[in-house]
Amino acid sequence: KFMTLTPKIQKAINLAARLHRDHTRIGLNLPYIVHPYSVACLVSEYSDDENLICAALLHDVLEDVEGYDFKELSRDFGNQVAELVKEVTEDRTDLEESWTLRDSWKKRKAAYLKNLRSASKEALLICAADTTHNLQSLKETYLLNNKKAIKNFQASVEDKVVFYGKVAAIIAKRLKSGIVVKLKVAHQEIHDILAEGH
């Protein structure tokens, strides 16, 4: 399986590229758009649902793009795509300005884990693909020994790996899909590398 380039998926590719054009993927010095593309490719290995693939391509727009909101996403791609993106978007509305980056990160991740326990199966598939690619990218950054990039993360590599492990555990419990194996492998690989002290 691999995604079919429908007009709607092309529209999602174009919009994601445009909205993320000023963003960079921390650690690998790549345009941010490589991440949504990779997540959509992973999703397409396990589903040929057009709306699911569009949501994968757009999964970070509500979280990371100022000036583009749920209403616009719903208008451009329909309510199903918008709701899926909303399900995998971190809620940043209750964060205190006085919190440190680390405190803010921990609060956001705790809320994300809570939401994941009741998320739809479709949202879980996007989350599994997102987490798998984040783990693969984190491993690549760590093995490149890119200390400067790692310093720019809002949390330590160890904290990130613990969080991703919790995400993987929730997904494994709730989602019956081959991507769960891929997610577990990605998590185990970076976990083992950290344990070996590379």
Side-chain angles (χ1 to χ4, degrees):
K1 271 189 183 183
F2 201 67
M3 70 176 85
T4 301
L5 191 61
T6 65
K8 190 171 185 178
I9 288 173
Q10 182 68 68
K11 182 181 175 184
I13 288 170
N14 293 353
L15 182 66
R18 190 159 66 247
L19 293 178
H20 289 298
R21 68 181 175 271
D22 296 326
H23 303 159
T24 303
R25 188 81 165 144
I26 294 175
L28 297 174
N29 195 28
L30 291 169
Y32 191 84
I33 194 61
V34 301
H35 174 61
Y37 285 174
S38 300
V39 171
C41 285
L42 283 167
V43 166
S44 77
E45 290 180 34
Y46 303 94
S47 173
D48 57 4
D49 185 301
E50 182 183 51
N51 284 335
L52 200 53
I53 292 165
C54 286
L57 284 160
L58 299 163
H59 78 274
D60 276 334
V61 298
L62 297 182
E63 195 171 301
D64 294 339
V65 178
E66 286 184 27
Y68 189 81
D69 59 18
F70 178 85
K71 189 176 178 183
E72 289 173 293
L73 183 57
S74 187
R75 177 201 67 203
D76 292 341
F77 288 91
N79 201 54
Q80 187 185 359
V81 171
E83 287 291 345
L84 280 170
V85 173
K86 188 178 176 184
E87 276 194 90
V88 298
T89 297
E90 285 185 359
D91 184 5
R92 301 184 179 184
T93 54
D94 295 330
L95 300 179
E96 300 287 340
E97 283 185 24
S98 60
W99 287 348
T100 63
L101 279 177
R102 182 181 169 81
D103 284 341
S104 169
W105 185 87
K106 287 170 79 174
K107 294 283 185 185
R108 284 189 285 115
K109 299 308 177 187
Y112 187 82
L113 290 171
K114 184 180 177 185
N115 290 339
L116 208 55
R117 292 186 178 96
S118 58
S120 68
K121 297 293 189 285
E122 292 82 6
L124 288 173
L125 178 56
I126 294 171
C127 179
D130 180 29
T131 306
T132 298
H133 189 250
N134 280 333
L135 283 162
Q136 291 168 344
S137 299
L138 186 62
K139 173 187 160 188
E140 193 176 345
T141 301
Y142 189 79
L143 289 177
L144 284 170
N145 201 23
N146 197 341
K147 289 185 171 65
K148 186 180 176 186
I150 287 169
K151 204 174 169 183
N152 288 332
F153 290 149
Q154 290 184 10
S156 69
V157 174
E158 289 78 10
D159 281 349
K160 281 176 168 287
V161 172
V162 168
F163 165 69
Y164 290 140
K166 291 176 180 177
V167 170
I170 293 170
I171 291 173
K173 196 172 180 182
R174 300 197 56 227
L175 186 67
K176 298 287 181 271
S177 168
I179 200 170
V180 173
V181 175
K182 195 168 279 192
L183 173 56
K184 285 180 175 178
V185 168
H187 181 260
Q188 192 63 48
E189 284 178 352
I190 183 72
H191 181 273
D192 291 346
I193 287 167
L194 290 177
E196 291 164 11
H198 279 286

